[in-house]
Amino acid sequence: MKTIAILFIAFCSTISFGQTEKESDIVINNSQQDDTYRAGETIHVNAAIQGDLVTAGGKLIINDSIYEDFTAAGGELFLNDYIADDVRVAAGRITVDAEIGDDLVVFAGEVILTENAVVHGNLKCFAGNIEIHGDVMGNLDIKGADILIDGTVKETSKIVGEDITIGSNAKFHKEVQYWSSEGQMDFKDSLVNTEAYFDEDLGEEKSELSLISLGIASFSLWIFYVLSAFLVILVLHALFKNAFSNAVEGLQNNLLKSFGYGLIYLLGIPLLIVLALVVIIGIPIGLFITTIFIFSLLFGHLIAALLLVYYYKQKKEKDWGFWNITFLALGIAIILRLLTIIPFLGILLSVIILSITYGALTLNVIHSKKQFVKT
């Protein structure tokens, strides 16, 4: 999961190549008396936020207190000061080095709670690598690949991981349910007047998580999908809105050309991957391109939704702001997802949507290169 999250950021950076303007860093040096919303490449919070804080960006650094909820999506996130209420975050890498007054909900590639970290509520985490060196005063519910617990958990714990390591400083004060690919394990001296139980059913829950990425199955998975889609759209829109705006200009005049370029991308990249994997020296490149290509398929309908909103905005000359476009794109993404799960028709529709989307972005990159050469 850590590698996937990092490569997602790398994939996003390829889209941003065609941007003509770079978003400035955002620095909050003055106390904010109300709810605060910020989106940019790098965000530094150096003053207190009296209300909620909602942010999206490549790198997010919180160096002062937030007195209500904190919601964020980005590449890297550093929490270095007190958060009074709930924290809900999705990022490639998250480091928590502060107190959180209530619950912490995390979706990430890598999550680290330092020795200074204290979560006064529950900790719910779905990530690749998870390290907990601090204290969790509520319930612990985590799922990941490599998990290290070397802190204190006051309430019940549910732990699901491929590889679980219990550190010498770990303390569990209530019942522990766990599943590990290695089977039953020794919790040593970490259990304080309680017991740990190996639960096979938790392993089945882990295998069912793959359904989330397909956007199907139960209502609860749909809710998770909608929240995840919103966070991804928020990041894409915050970082690459200029790329979408520029791509729309070419799309209006080159719809068929965009479709053709996109079709070449969808058919040509798999062939390029095969050729790269045949040659030993090209295997690392082939694996990297494969991951990027898979991401482009998984997140294609979200990118297409943003492009469609920008197309309509420009064609109808709508005066929509950042949040209007973000929520409209989320609605369109949900509709596209529903349409694309229709047998046969869904596959055809997906090919058309992805071809036009990536064709338009490719033409934008080509146009930007030509402009750069001319200058």
Side-chain angles (χ1 to χ4, degrees):
M1 182 61 69
K2 175 184 177 182
T3 304
I4 290 176
I6 292 172
L7 288 176
F8 170 59
I9 303 303
F11 169 66
C12 290
S13 67
T14 62
I15 298 175
S16 66
F17 179 83
Q19 288 185 269
T20 58
E21 297 179 8
K22 184 178 179 180
E23 293 292 324
S24 299
D25 293 349
I26 295 174
V27 180
I28 301 176
N29 287 324
N30 298 319
S31 178
Q32 306 295 306
Q33 302 303 315
D34 207 342
D35 294 344
T36 303
Y37 304 88
R38 294 290 187 274
E41 291 190 5
T42 302
I43 300 175
H44 295 261
V45 178
N46 299 327
I49 308 294
Q50 302 296 331
D52 295 341
L53 175 61
V54 179
T55 63
K59 189 173 185 179
L60 312 172
I61 304 172
I62 311 301
N63 292 326
D64 210 326
S65 300
I66 300 170
Y67 287 90
E68 293 189 23
D69 293 341
F70 175 53
T71 304
E76 261 190 304
L77 169 62
F78 298 91
L79 285 179
N80 301 324
D81 212 319
Y82 178 65
I83 313 293
D85 211 335
D86 295 331
V87 175
R88 303 177 185 87
V89 291
R93 188 173 190 271
I94 297 171
T95 302
V96 179
D97 189 41
E99 287 192 44
I100 295 173
D102 207 338
D103 297 340
L104 171 60
V105 181
V106 179
F107 181 89
E110 182 176 8
V111 178
I112 299 175
L113 272 66
T114 69
E115 295 178 355
N116 298 323
V118 179
V119 179
H120 289 278
N122 302 322
L123 171 57
K124 189 176 183 65
C125 178
F126 175 44
N129 295 343
I130 303 172
E131 294 184 17
I132 299 176
H133 300 278
D135 298 333
V136 178
M137 312 309 290
N139 298 318
L140 179 69
D141 185 355
I142 57 176
K143 298 179 178 67
D146 297 324
I147 298 175
L148 167 63
I149 300 179
D150 198 30
T152 300
V153 183
K154 290 291 187 179
E155 299 296 332
T156 60
S157 301
K158 183 187 291 186
I159 307 169
V160 180
E162 294 293 334
D163 184 12
I164 300 175
T165 301
I166 305 300
S168 59
N169 296 319
K171 297 296 178 184
F172 298 92
H173 291 263
K174 293 289 179 66
E175 178 182 288
V176 179
Q177 289 179 283
Y178 73 96
W179 179 89
S180 170
S181 60
E182 298 179 354
Q184 296 187 14
M185 52 186 293
D186 183 7
F187 278 72
K188 302 177 182 177
D189 299 326
S190 65
L191 301 173
V192 181
N193 298 322
T194 189
E195 295 183 1
Y197 302 94
F198 181 81
D199 190 342
E200 289 284 358
D201 293 338
L202 295 181
E204 295 179 5
E205 286 184 18
K206 183 177 185 298
S207 64
E208 291 171 358
L209 290 174
S210 59
L211 294 174
I212 295 172
S213 62
L214 300 176
I216 58 177
S218 68
F219 176 74
S220 61
L221 292 182
W222 264 106
I223 294 297
F224 188 92
Y225 165 75
V226 171
L227 293 174
S228 301
F230 172 72
L231 290 171
V232 173
I233 289 173
L234 194 63
V235 172
L236 291 171
H237 189 199
L239 297 180
F240 315 118
K241 58 183 178 181
N242 291 326
F244 289 112
S245 181
N246 295 335
V248 163
E249 295 178 4
L251 183 61
Q252 290 180 331
N253 303 319
N254 300 287
L255 183 61
L256 290 178
K257 191 174 182 180
S258 296
F259 176 76
Y261 271 81
L263 201 58
I264 292 173
Y265 170 81
L266 292 179
L267 299 178
I269 293 298
L271 179 60
L272 180 62
I273 291 171
V274 172
L275 293 175
L277 294 177
V278 169
V279 183
I280 295 178
I281 195 173
I283 290 177
I285 298 175
L287 294 174
F288 179 80
I289 296 175
T290 300
T291 307
I292 298 299
F293 184 69
I294 291 173
F295 263 110
S296 70
L297 299 181
L298 289 176
F299 294 103
H301 65 290
L302 303 181
I303 297 172
L306 275 167
L307 193 66
L308 184 59
V309 173
Y310 267 97
Y311 176 80
Y312 187 84
K313 173 182 181 290
Q314 188 163 317
K315 186 174 183 180
K316 298 298 182 179
E317 298 181 349
K318 297 290 186 180
D319 186 23
W320 290 337
F322 177 87
W323 291 105
N324 300 97
I325 295 173
T326 299
F327 283 109
L328 283 171
L330 177 62
I332 292 174
I334 294 172
I335 294 173
L336 291 178
R337 172 55 68 190
L338 289 170
L339 291 175
T340 54
I341 63 176
I342 299 173
F344 304 112
L345 177 62
I347 296 175
L348 177 61
L349 184 61
S350 294
V351 171
I352 295 173
I353 291 172
L354 294 178
S355 295
I356 293 175
T357 298
Y358 290 116
L361 292 170
T362 301
L363 287 175
N364 179 40
V365 171
I366 293 173
H367 176 73
S368 298
K369 283 185 176 181
K370 288 181 178 179
Q371 292 293 107
F372 178 78
V373 171
K374 288 181 180 180
T375 56

